[in-house]
Amino acid sequence: MIKVYLKQPFQAEQFDGSDEMIDKYELIDAGTMLETHHSLELYLTESGKVDVGDWIETGVTGEHWTITDDVFKKTYAELPVVPHYVAEYINYMKSSYRDIWDAINYPFRSNNINKYMENNSETFARAWLDGYQVEGHK
């Protein structure tokens, strides 16, 4: 039997070629990356280069790897963006040990939450399950 596992969370940043990013990721020069430096392992794209537009991903233990922009966009979707009051509602329900069914059917929601849920139920579900970004925050 084949077992399928979810990927661990990571953060990704698109390489813009700036000196700040070159220093942050300890790139030798524009277009290349150190494989090991100060015990930081970096896994490169097949070309062994990091080009402007590629993504540098950081895993849960601090490891970095690169992925080309076209592959990144085919593989990953951005987290949904929700208003702050929806983020607060999700946090409240989860901290109260409620599940998504409870959150959708909770009878004491504010009018703002009710209206959001009516118009954005799929976004709400994705935010609940996958995580989210709060509107206006980076």
Side-chain angles (χ1 to χ4, degrees):
M1 174 187 345
I2 296 174
K3 294 183 180 181
V4 179
Y5 297 89
L6 294 175
K7 290 184 177 182
Q8 292 296 315
F10 65 89
Q11 293 183 338
E13 183 174 21
Q14 194 168 26
F15 182 60
D16 62 9
S18 69
D19 289 339
E20 179 183 330
M21 288 189 77
I22 290 171
D23 291 342
K24 178 178 179 179
Y25 294 104
E26 301 175 350
L27 303 179
I28 296 170
D29 55 33
T32 62
M33 183 182 284
L34 286 174
E35 289 188 37
T36 320
H37 190 70
H38 301 293
S39 74
L40 176 68
E41 291 185 33
L42 300 166
Y43 304 93
L44 304 174
T45 57
E46 287 181 19
S47 69
K49 296 177 67 175
V50 178
D51 296 316
V52 171
D54 287 350
W55 291 83
I56 300 173
E57 300 179 14
T58 304
V60 294
T61 59
E63 73 278 12
H64 298 288
W65 64 94
T66 63
I67 188 169
T68 60
D69 185 49
D70 60 329
V71 171
F72 184 87
K73 288 178 179 172
K74 291 175 186 173
T75 307
Y76 303 106
E78 282 190 56
L79 291 176
V81 178
V82 299
H84 69 90
Y85 59 88
V86 173
E88 289 172 0
Y89 178 69
I90 290 172
N91 289 336
Y92 169 74
M93 294 302 284
K94 285 187 172 192
S95 69
S96 300
Y97 303 101
R98 309 285 178 116
D99 61 19
I100 192 169
W101 176 260
D102 294 331
I104 291 170
N105 294 295
Y106 192 63
F108 305 110
R109 294 191 311 234
S110 70
N111 288 335
N112 281 345
I113 296 294
N114 285 337
K115 186 170 182 163
Y116 184 87
M117 298 282 281
E118 288 173 16
N119 297 318
N120 303 282
S121 59
E122 289 183 16
T123 301
F124 179 84
R126 282 193 52 229
W128 180 279
L129 296 171
D130 300 334
Y132 54 84
Q133 301 176 74
V134 179
E135 238 172 30
H137 290 98
K138 285 194 173 192

